mmCIF file with all atom_site columns, all heavy atoms in Angstrom:
data_model
loop_
_atom_site.group_PDB
_atom_site.id
_atom_site.type_symbol
_atom_site.label_atom_id
_atom_site.label_alt_id
_atom_site.label_comp_id
_atom_site.label_asym_id
_atom_site.label_entity_id
_atom_site.label_seq_id
_atom_site.pdbx_PDB_ins_code
_atom_site.Cartn_x
_atom_site.Cartn_y
_atom_site.Cartn_z
_atom_site.occupancy
_atom_site.B_iso_or_equiv
_atom_site.pdbx_formal_charge
_atom_site.auth_seq_id
_atom_site.auth_comp_id
_atom_site.auth_asym_id
_atom_site.auth_atom_id
_atom_site.pdbx_PDB_model_num
ATOM 1   N N   . ALA A 1 77 ? -4.403 -55.817 21.985 1.00 0.00 ? 82 ALA A N   1
ATOM 2   C CA  . ALA A 1 77 ? -3.461 -55.144 21.090 1.00 0.00 ? 82 ALA A CA  1
ATOM 3   C C   . ALA A 1 77 ? -3.089 -56.006 19.889 1.00 0.00 ? 82 ALA A C   1
ATOM 4   O O   . ALA A 1 77 ? -3.169 -57.248 19.952 1.00 0.00 ? 82 ALA A O   1
ATOM 5   C CB  . ALA A 1 77 ? -2.237 -54.726 21.860 1.00 0.00 ? 82 ALA A CB  1
ATOM 6   N N   . SER A 1 78 ? -2.663 -55.387 18.838 1.00 0.00 ? 83 SER A N   1
ATOM 7   C CA  . SER A 1 78 ? -2.305 -56.063 17.604 1.00 0.00 ? 83 SER A CA  1
ATOM 8   C C   . SER A 1 78 ? -1.228 -57.129 17.844 1.00 0.00 ? 83 SER A C   1
ATOM 9   O O   . SER A 1 78 ? -0.213 -56.867 18.451 1.00 0.00 ? 83 SER A O   1
ATOM 10  C CB  . SER A 1 78 ? -1.805 -55.030 16.591 1.00 0.00 ? 83 SER A CB  1
ATOM 11  O OG  . SER A 1 78 ? -1.258 -55.679 15.460 1.00 0.00 ? 83 SER A OG  1
ATOM 12  N N   . GLY A 1 79 ? -1.470 -58.294 17.302 1.00 0.00 ? 84 GLY A N   1
ATOM 13  C CA  . GLY A 1 79 ? -0.460 -59.355 17.255 1.00 0.00 ? 84 GLY A CA  1
ATOM 14  C C   . GLY A 1 79 ? -0.226 -60.101 18.523 1.00 0.00 ? 84 GLY A C   1
ATOM 15  O O   . GLY A 1 79 ? 0.610  -61.049 18.537 1.00 0.00 ? 84 GLY A O   1
ATOM 16  N N   . VAL A 1 80 ? -0.898 -59.787 19.611 1.00 0.00 ? 85 VAL A N   1
ATOM 17  C CA  . VAL A 1 80 ? -0.618 -60.446 20.885 1.00 0.00 ? 85 VAL A CA  1
ATOM 18  C C   . VAL A 1 80 ? -1.088 -61.899 20.869 1.00 0.00 ? 85 VAL A C   1
ATOM 19  O O   . VAL A 1 80 ? -2.194 -62.210 20.457 1.00 0.00 ? 85 VAL A O   1
ATOM 20  C CB  . VAL A 1 80 ? -1.285 -59.678 22.075 1.00 0.00 ? 85 VAL A CB  1
ATOM 21  C CG1 . VAL A 1 80 ? -1.184 -60.495 23.367 1.00 0.00 ? 85 VAL A CG1 1
ATOM 22  C CG2 . VAL A 1 80 ? -0.609 -58.334 22.252 1.00 0.00 ? 85 VAL A CG2 1
ATOM 23  N N   . VAL A 1 81 ? -0.213 -62.781 21.305 1.00 0.00 ? 86 VAL A N   1
ATOM 24  C CA  . VAL A 1 81 ? -0.493 -64.212 21.363 1.00 0.00 ? 86 VAL A CA  1
ATOM 25  C C   . VAL A 1 81 ? -0.802 -64.662 22.759 1.00 0.00 ? 86 VAL A C   1
ATOM 26  O O   . VAL A 1 81 ? -1.737 -65.398 23.032 1.00 0.00 ? 86 VAL A O   1
ATOM 27  C CB  . VAL A 1 81 ? 0.706  -65.020 20.801 1.00 0.00 ? 86 VAL A CB  1
ATOM 28  C CG1 . VAL A 1 81 ? 0.469  -66.532 20.925 1.00 0.00 ? 86 VAL A CG1 1
ATOM 29  C CG2 . VAL A 1 81 ? 0.977  -64.662 19.355 1.00 0.00 ? 86 VAL A CG2 1
ATOM 30  N N   . LYS A 1 82 ? 0.015  -64.215 23.738 1.00 0.00 ? 87 LYS A N   1
ATOM 31  C CA  . LYS A 1 82 ? -0.128 -64.625 25.116 1.00 0.00 ? 87 LYS A CA  1
ATOM 32  C C   . LYS A 1 82 ? 0.585  -63.643 26.055 1.00 0.00 ? 87 LYS A C   1
ATOM 33  O O   . LYS A 1 82 ? 1.627  -63.102 25.696 1.00 0.00 ? 87 LYS A O   1
ATOM 34  C CB  . LYS A 1 82 ? 0.438  -66.041 25.315 1.00 0.00 ? 87 LYS A CB  1
ATOM 35  C CG  . LYS A 1 82 ? 0.240  -66.638 26.706 1.00 0.00 ? 87 LYS A CG  1
ATOM 36  C CD  . LYS A 1 82 ? -1.227 -67.016 26.944 1.00 0.00 ? 87 LYS A CD  1
ATOM 37  C CE  . LYS A 1 82 ? -1.426 -67.679 28.287 1.00 0.00 ? 87 LYS A CE  1
ATOM 38  N NZ  . LYS A 1 82 ? -2.842 -67.995 28.554 1.00 0.00 ? 87 LYS A NZ  1
ATOM 39  N N   . ILE A 1 83 ? 0.025  -63.441 27.209 1.00 0.00 ? 88 ILE A N   1
ATOM 40  C CA  . ILE A 1 83 ? 0.687  -62.648 28.238 1.00 0.00 ? 88 ILE A CA  1
ATOM 41  C C   . ILE A 1 83 ? 0.796  -63.482 29.489 1.00 0.00 ? 88 ILE A C   1
ATOM 42  O O   . ILE A 1 83 ? -0.204 -64.022 30.012 1.00 0.00 ? 88 ILE A O   1
ATOM 43  C CB  . ILE A 1 83 ? -0.096 -61.338 28.546 1.00 0.00 ? 88 ILE A CB  1
ATOM 44  C CG1 . ILE A 1 83 ? -0.182 -60.474 27.282 1.00 0.00 ? 88 ILE A CG1 1
ATOM 45  C CG2 . ILE A 1 83 ? 0.562  -60.565 29.671 1.00 0.00 ? 88 ILE A CG2 1
ATOM 46  C CD1 . ILE A 1 83 ? -1.030 -59.237 27.433 1.00 0.00 ? 88 ILE A CD1 1
ATOM 47  N N   . LEU A 1 84 ? 2.005  -63.625 29.964 1.00 0.00 ? 89 LEU A N   1
ATOM 48  C CA  . LEU A 1 84 ? 2.283  -64.401 31.197 1.00 0.00 ? 89 LEU A CA  1
ATOM 49  C C   . LEU A 1 84 ? 2.567  -63.435 32.360 1.00 0.00 ? 89 LEU A C   1
ATOM 50  O O   . LEU A 1 84 ? 3.342  -62.477 32.199 1.00 0.00 ? 89 LEU A O   1
ATOM 51  C CB  . LEU A 1 84 ? 3.461  -65.338 30.991 1.00 0.00 ? 89 LEU A CB  1
ATOM 52  C CG  . LEU A 1 84 ? 3.302  -66.429 29.933 1.00 0.00 ? 89 LEU A CG  1
ATOM 53  C CD1 . LEU A 1 84 ? 4.598  -67.183 29.773 1.00 0.00 ? 89 LEU A CD1 1
ATOM 54  C CD2 . LEU A 1 84 ? 2.180  -67.372 30.300 1.00 0.00 ? 89 LEU A CD2 1
ATOM 55  N N   . THR A 1 85 ? 1.959  -63.684 33.486 1.00 0.00 ? 90 THR A N   1
ATOM 56  C CA  . THR A 1 85 ? 2.161  -62.885 34.704 1.00 0.00 ? 90 THR A CA  1
ATOM 57  C C   . THR A 1 85 ? 2.257  -63.851 35.898 1.00 0.00 ? 90 THR A C   1
ATOM 58  O O   . THR A 1 85 ? 2.032  -65.072 35.723 1.00 0.00 ? 90 THR A O   1
ATOM 59  C CB  . THR A 1 85 ? 0.975  -61.928 34.914 1.00 0.00 ? 90 THR A CB  1
ATOM 60  O OG1 . THR A 1 85 ? -0.161 -62.689 35.334 1.00 0.00 ? 90 THR A OG1 1
ATOM 61  C CG2 . THR A 1 85 ? 0.654  -61.141 33.668 1.00 0.00 ? 90 THR A CG2 1
ATOM 62  N N   . PRO A 1 86 ? 2.573  -63.345 37.065 1.00 0.00 ? 91 PRO A N   1
ATOM 63  C CA  . PRO A 1 86 ? 2.558  -64.228 38.240 1.00 0.00 ? 91 PRO A CA  1
ATOM 64  C C   . PRO A 1 86 ? 1.205  -64.848 38.529 1.00 0.00 ? 91 PRO A C   1
ATOM 65  O O   . PRO A 1 86 ? 1.123  -65.825 39.311 1.00 0.00 ? 91 PRO A O   1
ATOM 66  C CB  . PRO A 1 86 ? 3.020  -63.317 39.364 1.00 0.00 ? 91 PRO A CB  1
ATOM 67  C CG  . PRO A 1 86 ? 3.778  -62.215 38.710 1.00 0.00 ? 91 PRO A CG  1
ATOM 68  C CD  . PRO A 1 86 ? 3.094  -62.005 37.395 1.00 0.00 ? 91 PRO A CD  1
ATOM 69  N N   . PHE A 1 87 ? 0.145  -64.332 37.902 1.00 0.00 ? 92 PHE A N   1
ATOM 70  C CA  . PHE A 1 87 ? -1.193 -64.827 38.173 1.00 0.00 ? 92 PHE A CA  1
ATOM 71  C C   . PHE A 1 87 ? -1.594 -65.967 37.276 1.00 0.00 ? 92 PHE A C   1
ATOM 72  O O   . PHE A 1 87 ? -2.591 -66.639 37.520 1.00 0.00 ? 92 PHE A O   1
ATOM 73  C CB  . PHE A 1 87 ? -2.223 -63.652 38.016 1.00 0.00 ? 92 PHE A CB  1
ATOM 74  C CG  . PHE A 1 87 ? -2.004 -62.531 38.970 1.00 0.00 ? 92 PHE A CG  1
ATOM 75  C CD1 . PHE A 1 87 ? -1.209 -61.445 38.608 1.00 0.00 ? 92 PHE A CD1 1
ATOM 76  C CD2 . PHE A 1 87 ? -2.549 -62.553 40.252 1.00 0.00 ? 92 PHE A CD2 1
ATOM 77  C CE1 . PHE A 1 87 ? -0.992 -60.409 39.499 1.00 0.00 ? 92 PHE A CE1 1
ATOM 78  C CE2 . PHE A 1 87 ? -2.318 -61.525 41.132 1.00 0.00 ? 92 PHE A CE2 1
ATOM 79  C CZ  . PHE A 1 87 ? -1.537 -60.448 40.782 1.00 0.00 ? 92 PHE A CZ  1
ATOM 80  N N   . ASN A 1 88 ? -0.816 -66.205 36.189 1.00 0.00 ? 93 ASN A N   1
ATOM 81  C CA  . ASN A 1 88 ? -1.204 -67.327 35.278 1.00 0.00 ? 93 ASN A CA  1
ATOM 82  C C   . ASN A 1 88 ? 0.004  -68.132 34.767 1.00 0.00 ? 93 ASN A C   1
ATOM 83  O O   . ASN A 1 88 ? -0.189 -69.052 33.984 1.00 0.00 ? 93 ASN A O   1
ATOM 84  C CB  . ASN A 1 88 ? -2.001 -66.786 34.083 1.00 0.00 ? 93 ASN A CB  1
ATOM 85  C CG  . ASN A 1 88 ? -1.146 -65.923 33.152 1.00 0.00 ? 93 ASN A CG  1
ATOM 86  O OD1 . ASN A 1 88 ? 0.010  -65.583 33.477 1.00 0.00 ? 93 ASN A OD1 1
ATOM 87  N ND2 . ASN A 1 88 ? -1.703 -65.554 32.012 1.00 0.00 ? 93 ASN A ND2 1
ATOM 88  N N   . ALA A 1 89 ? 1.196  -67.818 35.206 1.00 0.00 ? 94 ALA A N   1
ATOM 89  C CA  . ALA A 1 89 ? 2.374  -68.514 34.710 1.00 0.00 ? 94 ALA A CA  1
ATOM 90  C C   . ALA A 1 89 ? 2.420  -69.952 35.225 1.00 0.00 ? 94 ALA A C   1
ATOM 91  O O   . ALA A 1 89 ? 1.996  -70.221 36.346 1.00 0.00 ? 94 ALA A O   1
ATOM 92  C CB  . ALA A 1 89 ? 3.647  -67.783 35.132 1.00 0.00 ? 94 ALA A CB  1
ATOM 93  N N   . PRO A 1 90 ? 2.916  -70.881 34.417 1.00 0.00 ? 95 PRO A N   1
ATOM 94  C CA  . PRO A 1 90 ? 3.049  -72.280 34.881 1.00 0.00 ? 95 PRO A CA  1
ATOM 95  C C   . PRO A 1 90 ? 3.977  -72.366 36.100 1.00 0.00 ? 95 PRO A C   1
ATOM 96  O O   . PRO A 1 90 ? 4.953  -71.609 36.197 1.00 0.00 ? 95 PRO A O   1
ATOM 97  C CB  . PRO A 1 90 ? 3.659  -72.977 33.677 1.00 0.00 ? 95 PRO A CB  1
ATOM 98  C CG  . PRO A 1 90 ? 3.389  -72.097 32.514 1.00 0.00 ? 95 PRO A CG  1
ATOM 99  C CD  . PRO A 1 90 ? 3.360  -70.708 33.040 1.00 0.00 ? 95 PRO A CD  1
ATOM 100 N N   . LYS A 1 91 ? 3.652  -73.275 36.981 1.00 0.00 ? 96 LYS A N   1
ATOM 101 C CA  . LYS A 1 91 ? 4.499  -73.484 38.150 1.00 0.00 ? 96 LYS A CA  1
ATOM 102 C C   . LYS A 1 91 ? 5.704  -74.353 37.755 1.00 0.00 ? 96 LYS A C   1
ATOM 103 O O   . LYS A 1 91 ? 5.571  -75.328 37.013 1.00 0.00 ? 96 LYS A O   1
ATOM 104 C CB  . LYS A 1 91 ? 3.719  -74.169 39.282 1.00 0.00 ? 96 LYS A CB  1
ATOM 105 C CG  . LYS A 1 91 ? 2.611  -73.277 39.849 1.00 0.00 ? 96 LYS A CG  1
ATOM 106 C CD  . LYS A 1 91 ? 3.161  -71.963 40.374 1.00 0.00 ? 96 LYS A CD  1
ATOM 107 C CE  . LYS A 1 91 ? 2.070  -71.031 40.889 1.00 0.00 ? 96 LYS A CE  1
ATOM 108 N NZ  . LYS A 1 91 ? 2.620  -69.719 41.331 1.00 0.00 ? 96 LYS A NZ  1
ATOM 109 N N   . LEU A 1 92 ? 6.842  -73.949 38.251 1.00 0.00 ? 97 LEU A N   1
ATOM 110 C CA  . LEU A 1 92 ? 8.080  -74.666 37.942 1.00 0.00 ? 97 LEU A CA  1
ATOM 111 C C   . LEU A 1 92 ? 8.610  -75.304 39.227 1.00 0.00 ? 97 LEU A C   1
ATOM 112 O O   . LEU A 1 92 ? 8.375  -74.810 40.336 1.00 0.00 ? 97 LEU A O   1
ATOM 113 C CB  . LEU A 1 92 ? 9.137  -73.686 37.394 1.00 0.00 ? 97 LEU A CB  1
ATOM 114 C CG  . LEU A 1 92 ? 8.787  -72.996 36.089 1.00 0.00 ? 97 LEU A CG  1
ATOM 115 C CD1 . LEU A 1 92 ? 9.824  -71.955 35.748 1.00 0.00 ? 97 LEU A CD1 1
ATOM 116 C CD2 . LEU A 1 92 ? 8.651  -74.022 34.959 1.00 0.00 ? 97 LEU A CD2 1
ATOM 117 N N   . PRO A 1 93 ? 9.335  -76.402 39.103 1.00 0.00 ? 98 PRO A N   1
ATOM 118 C CA  . PRO A 1 93 ? 9.905  -77.055 40.318 1.00 0.00 ? 98 PRO A CA  1
ATOM 119 C C   . PRO A 1 93 ? 10.921 -76.186 40.969 1.00 0.00 ? 98 PRO A C   1
ATOM 120 O O   . PRO A 1 93 ? 11.672 -75.427 40.305 1.00 0.00 ? 98 PRO A O   1
ATOM 121 C CB  . PRO A 1 93 ? 10.515 -78.339 39.762 1.00 0.00 ? 98 PRO A CB  1
ATOM 122 C CG  . PRO A 1 93 ? 10.804 -78.051 38.324 1.00 0.00 ? 98 PRO A CG  1
ATOM 123 C CD  . PRO A 1 93 ? 9.726  -77.141 37.854 1.00 0.00 ? 98 PRO A CD  1
ATOM 124 N N   . MET A 1 94 ? 10.972 -76.208 42.276 1.00 0.00 ? 99 MET A N   1
ATOM 125 C CA  . MET A 1 94 ? 12.027 -75.523 43.038 1.00 0.00 ? 99 MET A CA  1
ATOM 126 C C   . MET A 1 94 ? 13.286 -76.351 42.885 1.00 0.00 ? 99 MET A C   1
ATOM 127 O O   . MET A 1 94 ? 13.353 -77.519 43.227 1.00 0.00 ? 99 MET A O   1
ATOM 128 C CB  . MET A 1 94 ? 11.665 -75.389 44.500 1.00 0.00 ? 99 MET A CB  1
ATOM 129 C CG  . MET A 1 94 ? 10.388 -74.617 44.725 1.00 0.00 ? 99 MET A CG  1
ATOM 130 S SD  . MET A 1 94 ? 10.519 -72.883 44.234 1.00 0.00 ? 99 MET A SD  1
ATOM 131 C CE  . MET A 1 94 ? 11.674 -72.281 45.489 1.00 0.00 ? 99 MET A CE  1
#
Side-chain angles (χ1 to χ4, degrees):
S83 170
V85 171
V86 176
K87 185 71 177 179
I88 298 175
L89 298 175
T90 72
F92 298 92
N93 68 351
K96 294 301 177 184
L97 298 173
M99 300 295 292

